[in-house]
Amino acid sequence: MWVKLGFMISNQPPLWRRAVAEFLGTSLLVMIVVGSGIAAQQLSPNDVGLQLLQNSTATVLGLTVLILVFGPISGAHFNPAVSLVDWVLGRRSGTGLTLAGLGTYAVSQTLGAISGSVYANAMFEVGTSISTKDRASSGHLLGEVVATAGLVLLIFTLAATQRGVLAAPAVGAYIGAAYWFTSSTSFANPAVTIGRIFSDTFAGIAPGSVPAFILAQLVGAAVGVGLLLLLFPSAGRTADDVVLPHEAGRVAS
């Protein structure tokens, strides 16, 4: 499929433009997660279940829209774990992110996530402060392994089977479901995890819980890759199509 590798790489938007898309997409994603969490606390202060429903519904809808907006530019990774897997799988077939691209994506995503928390706090006039919400129980960490493995398997399966057009609703639906079937409420994203340190609200996470969360997410990503290669051995050939195909020719200049 990727015989004309040099053509395909040069036909992508420049790295700086993809980095901007990853920054904005991840920032807006965290704004949605943190902002809807604050709103849920204020609207339903005595009903945690309803707060989670409000938070997850906003995230499902918002993530779907963000993938549609930024996917054609950067692929809409918004997640260093997804970018890392894209790079790892691409090494097998000469596709996917370069090492420089991986580093640029990860930095853009992390800075975007932090800015999203700060902006969400400001919108609701909640002071930006470090979260005190401890989450690193064994159950939560297991939940992060499961959530991240499922996310990686879903995204790269869609690319491998040429169904990337379904990525926006499928990823949104998966994250929405994982809010409920995982004990951790499915962070499944190292950048978002770091960003959520900076809001001591419903969606926050204490700094002490973050290293274990990120380790669990990386383990989950590795599990997801293992399952992917077991089911679709040639999946690495479509690394450039993750989460959505992003060729410059498909974007109006």
Side-chain angles (χ1 to χ4, degrees):
M1 178 178 179
W2 299 106
V3 176
K4 299 181 180 179
L5 177 59
F7 171 79
M8 294 305 298
I9 291 178
S10 64
N11 216 33
Q12 287 187 347
L15 183 57
W16 69 263
R17 186 180 295 167
R18 288 182 278 149
V20 170
E22 287 297 298
F23 176 89
L24 290 174
T26 312
S27 181
L28 287 165
L29 174 59
V30 175
M31 273 186 233
I32 291 165
V33 172
V34 173
S36 63
I38 296 171
Q41 273 187 313
Q42 294 178 352
L43 294 169
S44 310
N46 300 315
D47 191 334
V48 177
L50 185 55
Q51 291 173 14
L52 186 60
L53 178 61
Q54 294 160 339
N55 190 211
S56 61
T57 300
T59 302
V60 169
L61 298 175
L63 178 57
T64 300
V65 170
L66 293 177
I67 292 172
L68 291 173
V69 171
F70 296 107
I73 304 171
S74 67
H77 292 193
F78 311 151
N79 187 334
V82 172
S83 300
L84 176 62
V85 172
D86 185 59
W87 177 77
V88 169
L89 290 177
R91 296 317 87 213
R92 304 171 74 238
S93 58
T95 60
L97 285 173
T98 63
L99 187 59
L102 171 62
T104 301
Y105 268 44
V107 170
S108 299
Q109 291 156 355
T110 303
L111 293 176
I114 294 170
S115 73
S117 265
V118 172
Y119 201 91
N121 292 334
M123 284 194 293
F124 286 90
E125 299 182 1
V126 174
T128 294
S129 57
I130 301 301
S131 176
T132 57
K133 196 164 191 173
D134 293 317
R135 295 180 183 263
S137 70
S138 59
H140 287 157
L141 298 180
L142 181 59
E144 283 301 288
V145 172
V146 171
T148 311
L151 179 63
V152 166
L153 181 60
L154 169 63
I155 288 171
F156 287 86
T157 294
L158 291 175
T161 56
Q162 299 182 347
R163 292 179 295 162
V165 68
L166 299 175
V171 172
Y174 175 79
I175 292 298
Y179 258 82
W180 292 91
F181 77 76
T182 65
S183 57
S184 63
T185 66
S186 183
F187 283 44
N189 185 327
V192 168
T193 303
I194 292 170
R196 288 167 68 168
I197 291 173
F198 297 90
S199 187
D200 193 16
T201 60
F202 178 80
I205 181 171
S209 298
V210 169
F213 256 56
I214 292 177
L215 179 59
Q217 291 158 359
L218 294 177
V219 170
V223 172
V225 170
L227 292 172
L228 176 75
L229 294 179
L230 177 66
L231 297 170
F232 303 98
S234 62
R237 297 176 187 172
T238 54
D240 282 323
D241 283 345
V242 176
V243 171
L244 287 180
H246 38 289
E247 297 174 44
R250 300 181 188 180
V251 182
S253 299

